[in-house]
Amino acid sequence: MPRRPFPKKTDMRLILGSASALFLVAIAPVAAQRAPNPATAAAPRVPPITQPPSATIMAEPVALFIATTDTNGDARVTRAEAQAGVTRSFATVETTTPGSIGYIGLSEWAERWLGDRNALPSAYETDTDGDNRITLAELTAQIDRTFTRLDRDKDGMLVRSELLTLDSARSSGNGLDRRNRPGQQPR
């Protein structure tokens, strides 16, 4: 019996085309079920009235650190208290080279005192002389610059309201807040 030759190019196209058509017919009902409904996909999620709105008042990790340097407990942080707090915290990571820490040491400091290894201030921002080491003076100067930026009334003290940031980008996602939710009176 003679062997059947390998299918010709036109035969292969016909076979592949038929297989593709069968596949599409088979998955069309499944795809239709999974296709998102455009009417519901674009609608924003409206939280229930009883759910509190998203937080719009935030605090930078470095601001939280500065708040912890309030040694006398008067809810005000002076520049001297902040500098003393930097000195105390720096001593907890300054282990191998006295007087300075490397970039990894700064990330360890940030993890311990700011809550995350990647929290600002960054090593590149803090290392002002570019020697890949952070000295106590450089870290103190960086925290001092942050202190100056946060001190809105320029009185040399930081109160809790100055350590907070209004975050308008984090609204509840639907443009509604407690003042203009349906069924509630504006304040």
Side-chain angles (χ1 to χ4, degrees):
M1 173 170 186
R3 292 183 67 179
R4 184 171 177 193
F6 193 73
K8 295 180 185 174
K9 191 184 266 188
T10 55
D11 292 340
M12 287 301 289
R13 287 184 186 157
L14 183 61
I15 291 169
L16 290 175
S18 299
S20 298
L22 286 173
F23 179 73
L24 290 175
V25 168
I27 68 162
V30 175
Q33 290 173 353
R34 291 187 182 176
N37 183 350
T40 59
R45 182 184 165 276
V46 178
I49 298 294
T50 58
Q51 182 177 347
S54 297
T56 56
I57 300 175
M58 310 300 284
E60 297 175 47
V62 70
L64 294 175
F65 167 74
I66 290 172
T68 66
T69 64
D70 176 21
T71 53
N72 63 0
D74 65 352
R76 297 173 186 272
V77 179
T78 63
R79 200 173 292 274
E81 285 176 318
Q83 291 171 351
V86 171
T87 302
R88 281 190 307 276
S89 67
F90 189 82
T92 65
V93 293
E94 176 194 30
T95 57
T96 57
T97 306
S100 70
I101 56 177
Y103 286 8
I104 293 174
L106 183 65
S107 68
E108 290 169 359
W109 177 87
E111 183 176 32
R112 182 172 186 171
W113 295 101
L114 305 180
D116 188 87
R117 294 178 88 76
N118 298 312
L120 297 175
S122 74
Y124 303 109
E125 182 181 17
T126 307
D127 183 16
T128 54
D129 62 6
D131 66 350
N132 296 329
R133 305 287 304 167
I134 308 296
T135 63
L136 175 58
E138 287 174 320
L139 185 57
T140 302
Q142 180 61 43
I143 299 299
D144 194 55
R145 285 189 293 276
T146 304
F147 188 101
T148 300
R149 177 178 56 85
L150 294 172
D151 188 12
R152 290 190 292 260
D153 61 5
K154 305 301 178 205
D155 66 350
M157 284 189 199
L158 292 176
V159 295
R160 297 309 188 252
S161 62
E162 290 174 311
L163 296 172
L164 299 176
T165 304
L166 291 177
D167 189 2
S168 60
R170 288 181 53 108
S171 67
S172 60
N174 60 9
L176 299 176
D177 62 12
R178 284 188 185 254
R179 291 183 302 269
N180 59 6
R181 283 189 178 171
Q184 290 193 357
Q185 296 294 323
R187 292 184 190 170

